[in-house]
Amino acid sequence: MADLTGKIANVSVSYGTGKLLVTFEFNERNSAMEMVDKLKGQEKLNIKVGKFKQKRSLDANAYCWVLIHKLALSMQITPLEVYRQAIVNVGCNHEIIPIKEEAAAHFKKIWEAKGLGWPCLDLGKSKIPGYRNLAAYYGSSTYDVQQMSQLIDNLVQDCKALDLETLPPDKLALLKEEWDA
């Protein structure tokens, strides 16, 4: 099935049946028509509607990993260590979770199993007796444009501090502009 981007054009309620009628508007006319043709006549459909989120470009993701590998070589640590620290340094991408002390290690293990960039840090004892506070960070696969931009900017700054080559500012700006295209 095609992923279509559109907007809600109209919402109304049938006074006779009480059913809700939602009309959508799509720019990708051909894709929308193909989907409608395939689904026409189906008695029931699963429809998922959500807030639009700009996908980051693969080039930006690839460049992120180029920077991570440069930093890892320079600092003589693993790319995973660089990546996980970079994730922690991005703002507004984590939750502080008070959790029972006996459950903290298990939660951390499950959270970190989501992927390489999903660190969970133990912040120590909570104000709540018998609890610990964990900082559970979301991986970069969930990042929006602003968060991915911050991740790359932080990595570029770290590279510059170590005199490592990075893209010139104009090329970096072009890379980021691809997200908004």
Side-chain angles (χ1 to χ4, degrees):
M1 231 17 72
D3 243 356
L4 296 174
T5 302
K7 65 180 183 178
I8 295 175
N10 189 29
V11 178
S12 60
V13 177
S14 169
Y15 293 106
T17 64
K19 292 182 180 180
L20 185 67
L21 174 65
V22 181
T23 306
F24 293 93
E25 236 175 56
F26 299 103
N27 289 330
E28 304 94 358
R29 182 175 182 211
N30 291 341
S31 298
M33 289 303 295
E34 284 176 26
M35 187 172 67
V36 168
D37 287 342
K38 286 179 185 176
L39 298 174
K40 202 181 282 183
Q42 298 292 317
E43 189 173 317
K44 289 185 177 183
L45 300 173
N46 283 327
I47 299 171
K48 182 179 178 181
V49 177
K51 184 178 176 184
F52 178 75
K53 183 177 175 182
Q54 180 72 42
K55 292 181 181 178
R56 65 179 194 260
S57 74
L58 292 178
D59 287 341
N61 193 51
Y63 186 59
C64 177
W65 282 99
V66 166
L67 296 173
I68 287 168
H69 283 278
K70 284 182 178 193
L71 288 165
L73 282 171
S74 178
M75 297 188 296
Q76 297 180 341
I77 60 176
T78 68
L80 179 58
E81 289 174 278
V82 173
Y83 178 54
R84 290 170 65 90
Q85 186 56 53
I87 294 293
V88 169
N89 291 338
V90 173
C92 300
N93 70 331
H94 69 285
E95 304 293 334
I96 304 295
I97 302 167
I99 192 164
K100 288 185 178 181
E101 287 188 9
E102 59 270 16
H106 182 66
F107 178 88
K108 181 176 171 27
K109 181 180 175 186
I110 290 171
W111 184 267
E112 291 182 341
K114 291 175 175 276
L116 297 176
W118 292 73
C120 185
L121 306 179
D122 189 331
L123 302 177
K125 289 187 181 255
S126 171
K127 291 179 183 177
I128 305 167
Y131 280 71
R132 301 193 72 72
N133 285 329
L134 301 180
Y137 290 83
Y138 298 103
S140 63
S141 60
T142 68
Y143 283 9
D144 60 20
V145 173
Q146 184 179 356
Q147 289 169 315
M148 192 65 182
S149 182
Q150 184 180 355
L151 176 63
I152 290 176
D153 287 344
N154 290 351
L155 291 167
V156 166
Q157 184 179 344
D158 292 345
C159 284
K160 286 182 178 179
L162 296 172
D163 290 326
L164 300 173
E165 186 178 341
T166 62
L167 285 176
D170 60 326
K171 298 251 189 213
L172 189 57
L174 284 174
L175 187 71
K176 291 177 184 179
E177 281 177 21
E178 288 179 11
W179 293 324
D180 296 323

